[in-house]
C-alpha cells in the first residue's frame, strides 16, 4: 500500500527538486566491527570509539569534553566564548536532568517489584535507557551536540532555566523520534497510527484532537471555530460531529499529501517514509505539546478556572538549510491567558507542612499569561547509531521561546 502511494505521488521533476547539501552535524560512527547492514548491540560497546570530524574519541566522556572545549575536527562548528560557557552549563544541566529521570525510573521499578506487578514493556524499555550509565552518557553527548548547533548558543550566554528548557525539549523529541527506528519490542511508546491517504502515517491522537487547534500545512490554514454564543443552543449534536469529521478528513488528507510529496522529493521509500511521517505527526499531536509544556518553566505553574483560554497552533512546511538540503520544519505554539489564579508545587505542598495553611491558590492579574513556542526541524538521516536501526530521522530544535508572565494583583 505504501509503495503504491509513494509511486502515485511521485513528482515529475524529482531529481531537479532534491537538494544537495547537508545539515550541520557532528557525525558519530562506532569503530567496533559489525556484520554488513547491522549494528552491534549496546552491550558489545564496552569501550566504544567515536569518530567526530575525523578525530577519534575513546568514549562518550571524552567526546563530551571535546564538545565543551571546542576541539573535535573540521566538521565541528566554530567555538566562541559564549558557546563554550553555554556548553559548560548545559553539560551540568543535562546530567542533573537525566539524574532526576534516573531516580524516577528507579523509584518506579522498585514500586513494581514491591507490589509484584509486571511493568509494561514500554516502561521497562524507558527504565533501561535512563538507569544504564553508558546509555545516559550517550544521551549527554547527544544533547551537547544539539546545544552546540542551537543558533542562540553561539550569540549570547543563556540562562540555566532556558538551557534546561532547551535540553528537555530536544531530548524528549529526539527520543520520541528515535523510537520509530526501533523494533516494536524496544519502543518506549505505544501510539497508534492511521490515515485517510496512508494506512498508518498519522498519529491517531492528532486526528482525535484536530478540531481543538489551529493548523497551517505548507501555507494552507485549517481552523475549526467553536460555536459562537449567538448560535442556536439546540443545534443537533450529530451536525457538530459531522463538521468535526469533515474537518479532520480535510486537514489530515492535506497533511498526508504534503508529507508524501516531501518524501518523494527526498527519494524516501517505505519504511523510511512511514518513519518520517509518524515522527512528524507525533510531535503535531498531544505528545509534542506535552514535550513543550514539560520543558517549559510553565510546567511548575498550574492554571485553571473560569476565564482560562488556551490556544495551540501547529505550522509545518518544507525549508532549505544553508547547505541547500530540504528539511521539514514544524512550529508549535501554546498560549494560556485569562486566568487570575494559579498553583505552584510550593503552594500545593504548603498545607502538608503547616496545618494552618489553607492550601488555596495564588492570585494574579488577568493580564498574566504563559507562552511557549518552539521550531524544530526533521531530516532523513544518513548517519547510523548503535542504539538504533538504519533509516533514522534527525530532529533538531532551532528556536525556543519560554515565557511565564505572572502580573501581581493590583492593590485596592
Amino acid at each position: 500500500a505504501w509503495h503504491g502511494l509513494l509511486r502515485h505521488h511521485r513528482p515529475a521533476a524529482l531529481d531537479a527538486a532534491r537538494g544537495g547539501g547537508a545539515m550541520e552535524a557532528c557525525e558519530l560512527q562506532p569503530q567496533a566491527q559489525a556484520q554488513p547492514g547491522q549494528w552491534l548491540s549496546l552491550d558489545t560497546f564496552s569501550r566504544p570509539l567515536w569518530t567526530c570530524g575525523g578525530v577519534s574519541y575513546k568514549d562518550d566522556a571524552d567526546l563530551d569534553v571535546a564538545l565543551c572545549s571546542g576541539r573535535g575536527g573540521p566538521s565541528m562548528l566554530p567555538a566562541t566564548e559564549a558557546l563554550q560557557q553555554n556548553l559548560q552549563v548545559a553539560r551540568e544541566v543535562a546530567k542533573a536532568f537525566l539524574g532526576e529521570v534516573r531516580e524516577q525510573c528507579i523509584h518506579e521499578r522498585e514500586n513494581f517489584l514491591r507490589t509484584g506487578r509486571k511493568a509494561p514493556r514500554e516502561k521497562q524499555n524507558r527504565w533501561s535507557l535512563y538507569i544504564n550509565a553508558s546509555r545516559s552518557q550517550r544521551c549527554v553527548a547527544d544533547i551537547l551536540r544539539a546545544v552546540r548547533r542551537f543558533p542562540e548558543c553561539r550569540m549570547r550566554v543563556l540562562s540555566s532555566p532556558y538551557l534546561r528548557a532547551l535540553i528537555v525539549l530536544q531530548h524528549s523529541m529526539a527520543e520520541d523520534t528515535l523510537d520509530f527506528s526501533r523494533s516494536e519490542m524496544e519502543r518506549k511508546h505505544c501510539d497508534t497510527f492511521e490515515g485517510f491517504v496512508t494506512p498508518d502515517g498519522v498519529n491517531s491522537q492528532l486526528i482525535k484532537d484536530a478540531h481543538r487547534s489551529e493548523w497551517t500545512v505548507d501555507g494552507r490554514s485549517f481552523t475549526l471555530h467553536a460555536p459562537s454564543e449567538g448560535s442556536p443552543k439546540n443545534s443537533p449534536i450529530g451536525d457538530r460531529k459531522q463538521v468535526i469529521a469533515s474537518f479532520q478528513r480535510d486537514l489530515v488528507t492535506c497533511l498526508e499529501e504534503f508529507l508524501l510529496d516531501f518524501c518523494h522529493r527526498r527519494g524516501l521509500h517505505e519504511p523510511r517514509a512511514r518513519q518520517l511521517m509518524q515522527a512528524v505527526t507525533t510531535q503535531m499531536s498531544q505528545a509534542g505539546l506535552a514535550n513543550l509544556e514539560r520543558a517549559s518553566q510553565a510546567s511548575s505553574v498550574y492554571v485553571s478556572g473560569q476565564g482560562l483560554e488556551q490556544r495551540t497552533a501547529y505550522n509545518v512546511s518544507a525549508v532549505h538549510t544553508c547547505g541547500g538540503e530540504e528539511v521539514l520544519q514544524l512550529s508549535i505554539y501554546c498560549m494560556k491567558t485569562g486566568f487570575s489564579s494559579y498553583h505552584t508545587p510550593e503552594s500545593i505542598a504548603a498545607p502538608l507542612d503547616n496545618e494552618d495553611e489553607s492550601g488555596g491558590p495564588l492570585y494574579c492579574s488577568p493580564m498574566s499569561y504563559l507562552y511557549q513556542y518552539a521550531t524544530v526541524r526533521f531530516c532523513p538521516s544518513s548517519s547510523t547509531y548503535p542504539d538504533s536501526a538504519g533509516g533514522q530521522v534527525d530532529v533538531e530544535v532551532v528556536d525556543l521561546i519560554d515565557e511565564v508572565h505572572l502580573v501581581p494583583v493590583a492593590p485596592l
Side-chain angles (χ1 to χ4, degrees), residues 353-364:
D353 301 330
N354 189 340
E355 295 182 358
D356 296 332
E357 294 281 351
S358 62
L362 303 173
Y363 293 96
C364 60

PDB file of all heavy atoms in Angstrom, residues 353-364:
ATOM      1  N   ASP A 353       2.983  20.838  55.199  1.00  0.00           N
ATOM      2  CA  ASP A 353       3.999  21.230  56.169  1.00  0.00           C
ATOM      3  C   ASP A 353       3.433  22.062  57.314  1.00  0.00           C
ATOM      4  O   ASP A 353       4.024  22.141  58.393  1.00  0.00           O
ATOM      5  CB  ASP A 353       5.101  22.037  55.462  1.00  0.00           C
ATOM      6  CG  ASP A 353       5.773  21.242  54.353  1.00  0.00           C
ATOM      7  OD1 ASP A 353       5.832  20.005  54.502  1.00  0.00           O
ATOM      8  OD2 ASP A 353       6.197  21.846  53.361  1.00  0.00           O
ATOM      9  N   ASN A 354       2.303  22.704  57.090  1.00  0.00           N
ATOM     10  CA  ASN A 354       1.738  23.596  58.097  1.00  0.00           C
ATOM     11  C   ASN A 354       0.219  23.461  58.087  1.00  0.00           C
ATOM     12  O   ASN A 354      -0.443  23.804  57.104  1.00  0.00           O
ATOM     13  CB  ASN A 354       2.148  25.044  57.789  1.00  0.00           C
ATOM     14  CG  ASN A 354       1.775  25.997  58.910  1.00  0.00           C
ATOM     15  OD1 ASN A 354       0.914  25.699  59.740  1.00  0.00           O
ATOM     16  ND2 ASN A 354       2.435  27.150  58.921  1.00  0.00           N
ATOM     17  N   GLU A 355      -0.341  22.964  59.163  1.00  0.00           N
ATOM     18  CA  GLU A 355      -1.778  22.747  59.232  1.00  0.00           C
ATOM     19  C   GLU A 355      -2.557  24.054  59.178  1.00  0.00           C
ATOM     20  O   GLU A 355      -3.747  24.071  58.859  1.00  0.00           O
ATOM     21  CB  GLU A 355      -2.138  21.983  60.506  1.00  0.00           C
ATOM     22  CG  GLU A 355      -1.576  20.565  60.540  1.00  0.00           C
ATOM     23  CD  GLU A 355      -1.988  19.817  61.798  1.00  0.00           C
ATOM     24  OE1 GLU A 355      -2.671  20.442  62.643  1.00  0.00           O
ATOM     25  OE2 GLU A 355      -1.645  18.631  61.922  1.00  0.00           O
ATOM     26  N   ASP A 356      -1.922  25.174  59.518  1.00  0.00           N
ATOM     27  CA  ASP A 356      -2.601  26.462  59.497  1.00  0.00           C
ATOM     28  C   ASP A 356      -2.774  27.003  58.082  1.00  0.00           C
ATOM     29  O   ASP A 356      -3.575  27.907  57.847  1.00  0.00           O
ATOM     30  CB  ASP A 356      -1.822  27.483  60.333  1.00  0.00           C
ATOM     31  CG  ASP A 356      -1.787  27.092  61.812  1.00  0.00           C
ATOM     32  OD1 ASP A 356      -2.735  26.413  62.253  1.00  0.00           O
ATOM     33  OD2 ASP A 356      -0.816  27.462  62.493  1.00  0.00           O
ATOM     34  N   GLU A 357      -1.998  26.461  57.159  1.00  0.00           N
ATOM     35  CA  GLU A 357      -2.091  26.923  55.773  1.00  0.00           C
ATOM     36  C   GLU A 357      -3.348  26.338  55.124  1.00  0.00           C
ATOM     37  O   GLU A 357      -3.662  25.168  55.280  1.00  0.00           O
ATOM     38  CB  GLU A 357      -0.847  26.489  54.979  1.00  0.00           C
ATOM     39  CG  GLU A 357       0.435  27.151  55.437  1.00  0.00           C
ATOM     40  CD  GLU A 357       0.550  28.557  54.900  1.00  0.00           C
ATOM     41  OE1 GLU A 357      -0.275  28.942  54.056  1.00  0.00           O
ATOM     42  OE2 GLU A 357       1.465  29.277  55.336  1.00  0.00           O
ATOM     43  N   SER A 358      -4.050  27.156  54.364  1.00  0.00           N
ATOM     44  CA  SER A 358      -5.284  26.690  53.724  1.00  0.00           C
ATOM     45  C   SER A 358      -5.013  25.936  52.428  1.00  0.00           C
ATOM     46  O   SER A 358      -5.847  25.152  51.982  1.00  0.00           O
ATOM     47  CB  SER A 358      -6.184  27.893  53.420  1.00  0.00           C
ATOM     48  OG  SER A 358      -5.543  28.774  52.507  1.00  0.00           O
ATOM     49  N   GLY A 359      -3.864  26.170  51.838  1.00  0.00           N
ATOM     50  CA  GLY A 359      -3.561  25.487  50.587  1.00  0.00           C
ATOM     51  C   GLY A 359      -4.294  26.059  49.398  1.00  0.00           C
ATOM     52  O   GLY A 359      -4.443  25.400  48.374  1.00  0.00           O
ATOM     53  N   GLY A 360      -4.799  27.283  49.516  1.00  0.00           N
ATOM     54  CA  GLY A 360      -5.526  27.905  48.422  1.00  0.00           C
ATOM     55  C   GLY A 360      -4.611  28.343  47.303  1.00  0.00           C
ATOM     56  O   GLY A 360      -3.385  28.299  47.419  1.00  0.00           O
ATOM     57  N   PRO A 361      -5.206  28.798  46.193  1.00  0.00           N
ATOM     58  CA  PRO A 361      -4.394  29.219  45.048  1.00  0.00           C
ATOM     59  C   PRO A 361      -3.708  30.562  45.292  1.00  0.00           C
ATOM     60  O   PRO A 361      -4.062  31.310  46.193  1.00  0.00           O
ATOM     61  CB  PRO A 361      -5.435  29.332  43.926  1.00  0.00           C
ATOM     62  CG  PRO A 361      -6.703  29.675  44.643  1.00  0.00           C
ATOM     63  CD  PRO A 361      -6.647  28.919  45.937  1.00  0.00           C
ATOM     64  N   LEU A 362      -2.726  30.855  44.460  1.00  0.00           N
ATOM     65  CA  LEU A 362      -2.094  32.160  44.425  1.00  0.00           C
ATOM     66  C   LEU A 362      -2.847  33.002  43.392  1.00  0.00           C
ATOM     67  O   LEU A 362      -3.360  32.467  42.398  1.00  0.00           O
ATOM     68  CB  LEU A 362      -0.620  32.031  44.044  1.00  0.00           C
ATOM     69  CG  LEU A 362       0.212  31.120  44.951  1.00  0.00           C
ATOM     70  CD1 LEU A 362       1.602  30.938  44.367  1.00  0.00           C
ATOM     71  CD2 LEU A 362       0.286  31.677  46.360  1.00  0.00           C
ATOM     72  N   TYR A 363      -2.911  34.309  43.602  1.00  0.00           N
ATOM     73  CA  TYR A 363      -3.710  35.157  42.723  1.00  0.00           C
ATOM     74  C   TYR A 363      -2.814  36.077  41.898  1.00  0.00           C
ATOM     75  O   TYR A 363      -1.728  36.474  42.330  1.00  0.00           O
ATOM     76  CB  TYR A 363      -4.713  35.975  43.548  1.00  0.00           C
ATOM     77  CG  TYR A 363      -5.760  35.104  44.197  1.00  0.00           C
ATOM     78  CD1 TYR A 363      -5.603  34.678  45.514  1.00  0.00           C
ATOM     79  CD2 TYR A 363      -6.882  34.693  43.484  1.00  0.00           C
ATOM     80  CE1 TYR A 363      -6.552  33.857  46.106  1.00  0.00           C
ATOM     81  CE2 TYR A 363      -7.841  33.870  44.068  1.00  0.00           C
ATOM     82  CZ  TYR A 363      -7.669  33.460  45.375  1.00  0.00           C
ATOM     83  OH  TYR A 363      -8.602  32.639  45.957  1.00  0.00           O
ATOM     84  N   CYS A 364      -3.295  36.384  40.712  1.00  0.00           N
ATOM     85  CA  CYS A 364      -2.555  37.255  39.800  1.00  0.00           C
ATOM     86  C   CYS A 364      -3.552  38.057  38.976  1.00  0.00           C
ATOM     87  O   CYS A 364      -4.756  37.790  38.975  1.00  0.00           O
ATOM     88  CB  CYS A 364      -1.647  36.429  38.882  1.00  0.00           C
ATOM     89  SG  CYS A 364      -2.545  35.238  37.864  1.00  0.00           S
TER      90      CYS A 364
END
